[in-house]
Amino acid sequence: MNSFGSRAVLARPSNISIICDSSAEEFVIDALSQLPFTSGALIIANDLEFLAELPDQTRMDFTQAGLNDVPIKLADVSGRIQAAVKARRAVSDIIVDMRWGTGTVSATANFERWGGLCDRIAEDIQVSIVSVYARSVMIEDQLLAAVRGHSHFLAPSGLYDNPFWLPLSYQAGATISQQIGFVLGRLVPDYKDTVVQDDGEASGANPQWITVRRRLRPRMGNDEVWKIRCFGRLRIYLSDGSQIKWDMPGSAPTKTKTLFAYLLQRGEKGAPTELLAELLWSDETDEDKKRNRLYHAITMLRKTLGGSEYVRRNGGYYTLVPPEGTWIDIATFEQLCNRAKVLAKASKFEDAVALLDAAERLYSGELFEDMPPAYYENDMENWVVPKRTWFKDMALKVLRDKAAILRQQGQFRDALKCCQKALQMDAVCEIAHAEAMRIFHAQKRADAIARQYRQFLTAMDSMELVPESEALARLKSELINSLS
């Protein structure tokens, strides 16, 4: 019964997931019919049409459940859901539309913790909780969270054990060896009673080959993880919603933040001592002084982050080691953009706009906006501007793509707002000017098309720039001529 792909019997309230296409409500209804409903369901969704035909139901929207709170506090979410169940007194299942995960930046950042929270809810109030994931609007990280965060998968063909899930008793305090033993037994019945060698404290020893602690379990609500925001001001949020303070007594906050940002973008390869010293003290000619200042800066960064384990030294290299499961906005932003493109090409425009909205919310300013130019405009390497430019171009395309979809749907006012926002970010953004002209063309406003092109020329002239091609001029002529 525990082998991979095997059917399961629901012997007790469980943490269940349904992964389906965003429009497959019949799939969800058929899957839910496999559960032994004994009383009504509590449905948590914003969409009033989500499972509207399910009988004997009570509903909460995302705001009532606390899923729209910023910052989101999963303990509060759990409390509200449990209070709603107890108020009803006759609820056998909680059904959650997981599209709340793109509603706010905080929701996106905390999405991976949902599976662990569901374990606790099911355990605390003895009610099964079913999380319904619309696969088409999920990015890779969210799909991974859905796969590993629930004890069972549910489909019209039945209920299935999830071999990748770990029960609460194994999620805290268990060694890697004990976790591996449980997973092996869940995958293959023959391994169930196999004793896995447990070396106690030495189990899972890490000889500096990997930079994060290995862990099989999903994230839990009380884990210490970071949420790193690189767009706009560089900031790090802790699990309780507070921010790491950069102005540690005895430190130089700007240098501490720069050191963190540089090590962050270097990733697992880290950076050599000489490079870091040159980055922060390029004007100092005494190499011994530079190294001593760097050692002090490293010490202050460790204190700022709350532990020496977060900045590891390996020979002459330093590497940043964030807590496992740390979320970073730039990674999610890129995944949202790429997934939205796929959805738009498949003509799933509503889903594409939902992800473009989420990407737009994430881009709260240019990359490392508060980083002093002196630390990246130098002879060593330009480690900020190319990445900053690339992400800004992506953000402009997000607004252009959203505007194009809204234009095709006849929502001209909202489409123009997207173009205007893009032009506030970059007054000479040709793709935004071009899309604005297409919107005016759809409204049959030749005068507005010509005015938009003049605005582009004025912006170029004010920056002493010359158009690189005649593409926008040709588009203007084509659009106006087609209206005459």
Side-chain angles (χ1 to χ4, degrees), residues 7-19:
R7 293 281 294 273
V9 177
L10 194 64
R12 53 178 297 175
S14 297
N15 169 13
I16 301 168
S17 69
I18 298 176
I19 302 176

Side-chain angles (χ1 to χ4, degrees), residues 36 55 81 125-126 156 162 177 189 192 197 302 338 351 361 429 433:
I81 293 174
I125 58 176
Q126 293 296 292
N162 178 3
S177 295
K192 186 174 182 180
Q197 182 65 37
R302 286 168 169 165
N338 292 337
D351 291 342
R361 282 190 292 270
C429 177
H433 282 289

Side-chain angles (χ1 to χ4, degrees), residues 39-42 54-58 88 90:
S39 54
L42 170 64
L54 199 68
D56 194 20
Q57 62 174 256
T58 303
R88 170 74 185 267

Side-chain angles (χ1 to χ4, degrees), residues 286-303:
D286 190 319
E287 295 299 324
D288 289 336
K289 285 184 179 180
K290 287 165 71 170
R291 278 194 297 271
N292 289 335
R293 289 174 180 174
L294 175 63
Y295 297 150
H296 176 72
I298 292 290
T299 298
M300 299 314 300
L301 176 58
R302 286 168 169 165
K303 288 183 178 180

Side-chain angles (χ1 to χ4, degrees), residues 25-63:
E25 181 151 326
E26 184 178 347
F27 181 98
V28 178
I29 293 292
D30 289 346
L32 291 172
S33 69
Q34 303 297 316
L35 296 180
F37 281 94
T38 57
S39 54
L42 170 64
I43 297 177
I44 302 175
N46 271 7
D47 184 358
L48 294 178
E49 296 183 0
F50 178 74
L51 301 180
E53 297 180 1
L54 199 68
D56 194 20
Q57 62 174 256
T58 303
R59 300 186 77 93
M60 296 177 72
D61 62 27
F62 295 153
T63 298

Side-chain angles (χ1 to χ4, degrees), residues 67-138:
L67 292 168
N68 279 343
D69 288 355
V70 178
I72 190 171
K73 297 180 179 178
L74 294 183
D76 290 348
V77 172
S78 176
R80 294 188 193 188
I81 293 174
Q82 293 191 40
V85 171
K86 292 173 182 176
R88 170 74 185 267
R89 294 186 180 180
V91 173
S92 61
D93 297 272
I94 303 165
I95 304 172
V96 184
D97 181 355
M98 292 301 292
R99 284 178 289 183
W100 64 266
T102 56
T104 65
V105 172
S106 186
T108 303
N110 283 280
F111 193 84
E112 189 183 3
R113 296 178 165 208
W114 177 256
L117 184 72
C118 291
D119 281 333
R120 295 199 180 279
I121 292 175
E123 183 76 17
D124 289 346
I125 58 176
Q126 293 296 292
V127 172
S128 291
I129 180 164
V130 182
S131 302
V132 181
Y133 293 87
R135 182 171 184 173
S136 64
V137 296
M138 293 170 63

Side-chain angles (χ1 to χ4, degrees), residues 244-257 259 281 293 296-305:
I244 283 179
K245 305 292 186 183
W246 296 104
D247 53 347
M248 178 73 62
S251 72
T254 302
K255 282 184 166 59
T256 302
K257 185 183 288 192
L259 184 58
W281 295 279
R293 289 174 180 174
H296 176 72
I298 292 290
T299 298
M300 299 314 300
L301 176 58
R302 286 168 169 165
K303 288 183 178 180
T304 298
L305 298 177

